[in-house]
Amino acid sequence: MSNKQFDVLVIGGGPGGYVAAIRAAQLGFSVACCESNPYADPKGEPRLGGTCLNVGCIPSKALLHTSHLFEEAAHSFAGQGIKIGKPSIDVPAMVARKDQVVTQLTSGIKGLFKKNKVTQLNGHGSFVGQGGTGWQVKVGEEVVEAKQVIVATGSKPRHLPNVKVDNKVVMDNEGALAQQSVPKTLAIIGAGVIGLEMGSVWRRLGSEVTVLEMAPDFLPMADQDVAKEALKLFTKQGMNFQMGVKIGDIKAGKKGVAIAYTDKDGKAQSLDAERLIVSVGRIPNTDGLGADKVGLQLDDRGRVAVDAHNRTNLPGVWAIGDVVAGPMLAHKAMEEGVAVAETMAGQAGHVDFSTIPSVIYTNPEIAWVGKTEQQLKADGVAYKVGKIPFLANGRALGMGEPSGFVKMLADAKTDRILGVHIIGANASELISEGVLSLEFSAASEDLARICHAHPTLSEAVHEAALACDKRALHF
């Protein structure tokens, strides 16, 4: 007989899991959420928040903010009449502040669990079988029974074969966020979101950064105009990109790492660096889940197979977030968590994958939602483009952030907005207007008719909508 019984058990306390647990509790279910990863908790207890809060989204943004301020002080303050001399960086203090932010947020989730009467169970969750009134899951040393189970076990960094990650010399995202000094030279394998953000942090603080990317094109998932502009700006800032490479032997020692690779022209090259960050994607966490014990179906990439409503092949078992198909984004996992909880309660839970925004928190920031221009061309969709540079925006100039642009794509016949792509200051905040426009099937005319406060960066979005009809007012 199980020790504890619940209506819903969530396996994993990351963004998808903890949000699913809270929403299910709000809807009247008795809910438990189990978590086993201690991360860097001083007491060694499992910490809620998953990769995102502990070693991903939140700590990386804290470091990006600090490093941005440092670069501003070193290179931009003088131009605004602020004289402070040459700034210096206290890396341990920077990391300690980052840790404090993480601790505050992770402990905040505990408070939310208490407020919503969610039971936190410390321990690794693994399916045992089906019996009684539901599913039996072993959590730590005890067996818990739940009528319904939500698998929200997230993902982990993909490592290269034959390259040991010690998170001191060779690092994944976790080590990249915990360095205690600025490396003179830093190599990064992978020019994706993590590679660009971590490269930005340490480049700003003084590292000579070289990024090796196996794909031939830079940011192929972004709109081609945005990717081209980003590569130009990041290169100008001092980051060195080698695209279309083939990674060879990697030899790491106490003093650094030697990387052999073949460049895009087929020539053998070598790179010596003090430290290496490996950011070549992430893989789903299904190890130790006990999927084979209960017949939980996985796909060919090791993800839990689900339908359009996140149902697995097992009755009463659901899966959300990084452990299922779709973009590995915290906000996507949260939306799925809410949708599953509401579907359980008989409501119409739904996630529209076509309106999930993507963001890269570099400087300038990059954000987009909807279709890219290359996708519309490939689909044979007739479209029109409205494109406005931030150089024409008074607020951007006043902030000293004139780089980048807003690009809007609308259907040539119906005028419906199909995609919004932004590279520039605060793009992560501005993109929400694009998301809202897509959700409500707005036309560019609708957005063009909405009054935007002046002077604001959002006026560039307004002007891009006007430009779709070739009637921009300030460009």
Side-chain angles (χ1 to χ4, degrees):
M1 185 70 180
S2 301
N3 293 329
K4 297 176 182 177
Q5 294 182 336
F6 300 93
D7 293 329
V8 180
L9 172 65
V10 183
I11 303 178
Y18 82 73
V19 167
I22 290 171
R23 185 66 185 122
Q26 289 175 345
L27 291 166
F29 295 104
S30 61
V31 184
C33 179
C34 64
E35 179 57 69
S36 61
N37 201 327
Y39 290 110
D41 189 87
K43 298 179 182 178
E45 296 178 354
R47 295 183 75 163
L48 297 166
T51 294
C52 174
L53 263 70
N54 289 280
V55 290
C57 322
I58 299 302
S60 64
K61 302 313 160 285
L63 294 188
L64 281 159
H65 179 70
T66 300
S67 64
H68 178 63
L69 292 178
F70 178 77
E71 186 166 60
E72 286 269 286
H75 303 290
S76 301
F77 278 13
Q80 298 192 43
I82 304 172
K83 298 180 179 180
I84 61 170
K86 185 178 180 180
S88 61
I89 186 73
D90 183 339
V91 176
M94 175 183 74
V95 173
R97 174 189 170 273
K98 175 263 295 182
D99 291 340
Q100 185 179 9
V101 170
V102 169
T103 299
Q104 182 174 340
L105 286 171
T106 53
S107 60
I109 302 172
K110 282 189 175 183
L112 290 172
F113 272 14
K114 186 176 181 180
K115 175 185 176 183
N116 290 281
K117 297 180 173 59
V118 175
T119 301
Q120 181 181 343
L121 302 175
N122 294 339
H124 181 85
S126 178
F127 282 100
V128 175
Q130 188 177 19
T133 59
W135 295 96
Q136 294 174 339
V137 178
K138 186 177 182 182
V139 179
E141 297 303 317
E142 67 177 339
V143 174
V144 175
E145 194 169 284
K147 296 175 184 177
Q148 305 200 67
V149 177
I150 303 174
V151 178
T153 49
S155 63
K156 58 188 174 185
R158 175 182 282 112
H159 290 171
L160 294 171
N162 304 318
V163 182
K164 183 180 179 182
V165 172
D166 61 4
N167 277 329
K168 293 179 181 178
V169 175
V170 179
M171 300 165 285
D172 55 22
N173 59 291
E174 190 167 351
L177 292 163
Q179 297 183 73
Q180 295 294 311
S181 63
V182 179
K184 291 182 179 179
T185 52
L186 175 65
I188 299 174
I189 298 178
V193 177
I194 296 172
L196 291 176
E197 291 185 356
M198 290 298 93
S200 294
V201 167
W202 298 106
R203 195 264 325 149
R204 294 170 189 167
L205 299 180
S207 293
E208 182 182 320
V209 178
T210 301
V211 182
L212 304 176
E213 171 56 54
M214 289 166 270
D217 300 317
F218 184 71
L219 290 180
M221 66 284 202
D223 186 87
Q224 55 193 356
D225 282 354
V226 170
K228 183 179 178 181
E229 181 73 5
L231 181 59
K232 181 183 77 174
L233 291 172
F234 298 155
T235 300
K236 186 178 179 181
Q237 289 172 4
M239 293 177 71
N240 177 28
F241 294 92
Q242 298 294 322
M243 306 298 298
V245 308
K246 183 177 180 181
I247 303 296
D249 290 335
I250 299 176
K251 296 180 180 179
K254 292 182 179 180
K255 294 185 178 181
V257 61
I259 307 163
Y261 68 96
T262 305
D263 65 20
K264 62 181 180 180
D265 298 319
K267 296 179 180 178
Q269 303 285 355
S270 63
L271 175 65
D272 293 325
E274 190 176 323
R275 293 175 208 157
L276 167 66
I277 297 174
V278 178
S279 56
V280 291
R282 300 181 65 82
I283 55 177
N285 279 327
T286 51
D287 298 340
L289 183 59
D292 53 334
K293 292 182 181 179
V294 291
L296 179 63
Q297 185 180 340
L298 307 181
D299 66 15
D300 57 356
R301 295 175 63 177
R303 303 172 298 196
V304 178
V306 293
D307 67 9
H309 294 280
N310 294 88
R311 295 184 181 93
T312 71
N313 65 305
L314 302 178
V317 178
W318 315 70
I320 62 173
D322 286 7
V323 80
V324 303
M328 289 184 171
L329 299 169
H331 46 283
K332 175 258 197 185
M334 291 179 180
E335 289 297 306
E336 288 180 329
V338 169
V340 164
E342 293 179 350
T343 302
M344 284 179 176
Q347 300 181 11
H350 176 67
V351 178
D352 187 347
F353 285 91
S354 67
T355 59
I356 294 175
S358 295
V359 182
I360 306 175
Y361 296 85
T362 46
N363 184 38
E365 291 183 346
I366 301 169
W368 69 90
V369 64
K371 296 286 188 178
T372 63
E373 187 169 0
Q374 57 265 35
Q375 286 173 328
L376 293 178
K377 286 180 179 178
D379 293 342
V381 177
Y383 62 92
K384 51 187 179 180
V385 181
K387 186 176 176 182
I388 296 295
F390 280 105
L391 192 61
N393 181 273
R395 182 69 186 278
L397 286 174
M399 291 168 58
E401 299 277 4
S403 297
F405 55 82
V406 176
K407 179 178 179 179
M408 189 172 295
L409 301 166
D411 190 287
K413 296 178 181 178
T414 67
D415 193 37
R416 181 176 176 176
I417 296 172
L418 303 174
V420 178
H421 307 272
I422 307 173
I423 176 169
N426 290 19
S428 59
E429 306 291 345
L430 296 173
I431 198 61
S432 292
E433 189 169 17
V435 176
L436 195 64
S437 297
L438 264 66
E439 280 285 359
F440 285 89
S441 302
S444 70
E445 173 75 6
D446 294 325
L447 205 51
R449 293 290 178 185
I450 295 173
C451 181
H452 288 64
H454 174 79
T456 61
L457 296 172
S458 69
E459 287 180 289
V461 179
H462 182 233
E463 288 282 335
L466 288 166
C468 283
D469 195 35
K470 294 183 171 56
R471 57 190 184 95
L473 296 170
H474 295 91
F475 182 73

